[in-house]
Amino acid sequence: MFSSWLGKAVGVVASLGVAALVLTSLGGPALAGEPASPLDPHACVSDKRVAATAAAFTNALASPGVEDLGAFTSGEFLAFSTYAPIRLVPEIKRYDRADRRNGYFAAHTPASLLKFKRQVGVLPLRLGALAILHRGARSQNGRYADFGYTGRVRGRAPWRRKLQFQGKGAINCDGTVLIWNMVIVGGVTGQPRQPGMCKNRRVSAVTHRVRVCRQ
C-alpha cells in the first residue's frame, strides 16, 4: 500500500539527511553513448564529471556481473536503497515486500549491495538528468558531491516505458559512490511519475545523454 511505501520512503530520505549532516559536520562493456571507465579519480572537478560518474554507476547497475559495481563501492560507502516493482526486479521480494506490486531493499555495506546485485542480475536504468547541490564539499573523510536525479527504465515493452527512477545521491570525489537512494515509480508501481529533475532548471551541460543543472 502507498502508506507502507511512504513510510519506507521517509526512512530513505531521513537516512540521506543524516548522512548529509554527517558529511557537512565532518560491469560489462559500456553501451553506446555511455561512460566506459568505471571510476573517475577527479570526479568533482566539474559538474559534467559528477554527472558522468553518476551515469557510469547506473551503467554498472544495468550491466551483468558486479565487477564495475564493486569498483564504485571501494571508497567510503554509507547507503544504497531502492523501492522497485517486483515485475521489473523479481528477486527484490526476497528482501522486503512493500505491497503486492513493489519491494524494498537497503544496503549499508558494499558486500550487501554486491550480494543483492548478483541476485537481481541487472537493474535496467538509464540516467536522464542530474541536479547538483554541492560539488567538492568537505567531510571528515574527504570531499564529495551530492545531487538529485531522474532517469528512465530501459526496455521496449510499453509497461517499462511508463517507469521512471528518481532519487538523491552523493559521490566521493575519487569517483566512488557514497549514497544512492532510489525509487522506481510509474505504471505498474501504482505511484505517479514526477517531472524530470532539470525540467524547470537551466541546463548547463549535457554529458553521456544526461542533462546537468544546479539546484
Side-chain angles (χ1 to χ4, degrees):
M1 300 298 291
F2 180 72
S3 59
S4 174
W5 169 80
L6 182 59
K8 296 178 185 298
V10 169
V12 167
V13 173
S15 69
L16 182 62
V18 169
L21 287 174
V22 170
L23 290 169
T24 55
S25 65
L26 298 173
L31 301 179
E34 294 179 341
S37 175
L39 290 182
D40 179 351
H42 306 290
C44 293
V45 167
S46 68
D47 289 0
K48 287 182 70 172
R49 299 276 279 271
V50 172
T53 297
F57 177 68
T58 56
N59 187 49
L61 292 174
S63 300
V66 298
E67 291 77 14
D68 284 353
L69 190 62
F72 281 105
T73 65
S74 61
E76 183 187 8
F77 177 84
L78 291 182
F80 172 94
S81 68
T82 184
Y83 162 89
I86 293 169
R87 185 175 179 184
L88 181 71
V89 189
E91 292 298 318
I92 200 170
K93 63 187 177 184
R94 289 192 184 193
Y95 294 91
D96 191 353
R97 191 161 184 150
D99 54 48
R100 64 184 179 83
R101 290 177 289 191
N102 304 293
Y104 177 78
F105 169 77
H108 298 284
T109 66
S112 58
L113 171 56
L114 297 180
K115 177 182 178 182
F116 174 72
K117 178 62 164 59
R118 289 188 188 96
Q119 290 175 339
V120 303
V122 300
L123 292 169
L125 311 174
R126 181 188 295 281
L127 190 65
L130 185 139
I132 295 173
L133 181 59
H134 303 106
R135 177 169 57 82
R138 184 181 293 277
S139 72
Q140 184 178 7
N141 296 312
R143 292 188 179 274
Y144 69 96
D146 56 353
F147 45 81
Y149 61 84
T150 52
R152 68 175 182 83
V153 171
R154 303 176 191 267
R156 296 183 178 180
W159 68 270
R160 286 180 177 242
R161 291 202 298 266
K162 294 178 182 178
L163 296 173
Q164 173 196 51
F165 75 95
Q166 60 193 50
K168 296 181 179 180
I171 62 168
N172 301 304
C173 288
D174 63 2
T176 57
V177 168
L178 181 62
I179 301 166
W180 191 270
N181 291 336
M182 172 177 69
V183 296
I184 300 176
V185 297
V188 296
T189 70
Q191 313 303 331
R193 292 170 57 121
Q194 303 296 320
M197 184 55 68
C198 293
K199 182 176 179 60
N200 297 315
R201 297 181 173 96
R202 185 179 70 85
V203 174
S204 58
V206 177
T207 179
H208 304 295
R209 292 188 279 182
V210 178
R211 292 173 295 146
V212 187
C213 59
R214 280 278 182 162
Q215 292 190 41

